Amino acid sequence: MARPRKPLLSRDRIVGAASALVDAEGLDAVSTRRLAAVLGVSGPSLYNHFRNKEEILDAVADAVSAQVDLSMFEKPDPRDWREALHDWALSYRAALAAHPHIVPVLARGPGRRPAGLRVADAVFGAMVGAGWPPAQATRIGALMRYFITGSALGSFAGGFVDDETAYDPADYPHLGQAHLLADHRRQVDEGAFETGLRALLEGLAIQYEQYAQPVGDDAATVRPVPNRP
């Protein structure tokens, strides 16, 4: 009887196995030897697809970036720049929240990663198209990345233990209910992100009035105000 054939090794199989390891055990769990064992192949066979562990982690990070919805930046989507940034930020954070261990790699920036570069290109293009000067559009992209990746690096609510004796009122008079936060982790963290996001966008909207102004009757068409940095 013929022996069953093993599935051919491919970049997608390697990235899938590495992503599962990162999700389950963190970045330190990934090594070429460990991946080769998981995939049932010899270690050197991985080097036909990736030069080293760093390239594999880059590919895992890019696979997460590919999950981010960019449709709000595409024409003829009716959303204005504020709505588009809001909905994109929620999609981006959801992707990171599903794969929190890879966030430190994503936080370094897109580098040469195709999906990551598509995200950066879409945000920058949409902001310039909405009337923001290129320099300010770059800052907005950076600001959003700081805010989103930072929110995904840890949990505020998860930072408190669920032991009510841990926070003595004599020492921490305002943390009497802090032990309850861990039980409401998702509600607290998502609510905090939404609160911060709305405040950030409202602040940008104030700046926008200084940087761009409507042209004619079409409020979606704007021109940059000259002499702005």
Side-chain angles (χ1 to χ4, degrees), residues 19-30 34 101:
S19 181
L21 276 177
V22 171
D23 286 346
E25 302 179 37
L27 294 173
D28 291 341
V30 179
R34 179 83 181 273
H101 292 151

Side-chain angles (χ1 to χ4, degrees), residues 43-127:
S45 63
L46 297 178
Y47 297 115
N48 293 325
H49 302 276
F50 296 97
R51 289 183 297 179
N52 49 45
K53 169 184 171 177
E54 286 67 34
E55 280 196 356
I56 295 172
L57 291 177
D58 255 2
V60 171
D62 211 39
V64 173
S65 294
Q67 298 173 20
V68 180
D69 182 13
L70 299 176
S71 64
M72 65 287 296
F73 298 127
E74 299 170 357
K75 300 296 183 183
D77 193 289
R79 283 169 281 192
D80 67 12
W81 68 268
R82 286 180 63 183
E83 293 174 305
L85 275 184
H86 176 272
D87 295 348
W88 165 74
L90 293 181
S91 175
Y92 195 177
R93 185 182 183 278
L96 300 191
H99 307 280
H101 292 151
I102 199 64
V103 173
V105 179
L106 283 161
R108 296 199 293 260
R112 298 176 182 270
R113 299 192 295 266
L117 289 170
R118 282 192 290 273
V119 171
D121 182 74
V123 175
F124 178 80
M127 295 305 99

Side-chain angles (χ1 to χ4, degrees), residues 75-216:
K75 300 296 183 183
D77 193 289
R79 283 169 281 192
D80 67 12
W81 68 268
R82 286 180 63 183
E83 293 174 305
L85 275 184
H86 176 272
D87 295 348
W88 165 74
L90 293 181
S91 175
Y92 195 177
R93 185 182 183 278
L96 300 191
H99 307 280
H101 292 151
I102 199 64
V103 173
V105 179
L106 283 161
R108 296 199 293 260
R112 298 176 182 270
R113 299 192 295 266
L117 289 170
R118 282 192 290 273
V119 171
D121 182 74
V123 175
F124 178 80
M127 295 305 99
V128 171
W132 287 97
Q136 194 67 3
T138 298
R139 296 177 189 131
I140 291 171
L143 169 64
M144 297 301 293
R145 185 165 66 84
Y146 299 154
F147 177 67
I148 298 166
T149 56
S151 75
L153 282 172
S155 164
F156 176 81
F160 295 89
V161 298
D162 61 1
D163 179 3
E164 63 181 326
T165 66
Y167 307 109
D168 190 328
D171 297 322
Y172 315 107
H174 305 295
L175 297 181
Q177 302 297 307
H179 65 283
L180 301 175
L181 291 175
D183 288 337
H184 304 279
R185 178 171 177 166
R186 181 172 179 178
Q187 179 182 359
V188 171
D189 292 342
E190 290 186 358
F193 181 79
E194 181 69 27
T195 298
L197 179 59
R198 291 191 178 279
L200 187 156
L201 293 175
E202 287 172 7
L204 286 176
I206 294 172
Q207 292 186 30
Y208 184 74
E209 297 302 320
Q210 303 169 5
Y211 281 96
Q213 62 187 39
V215 175

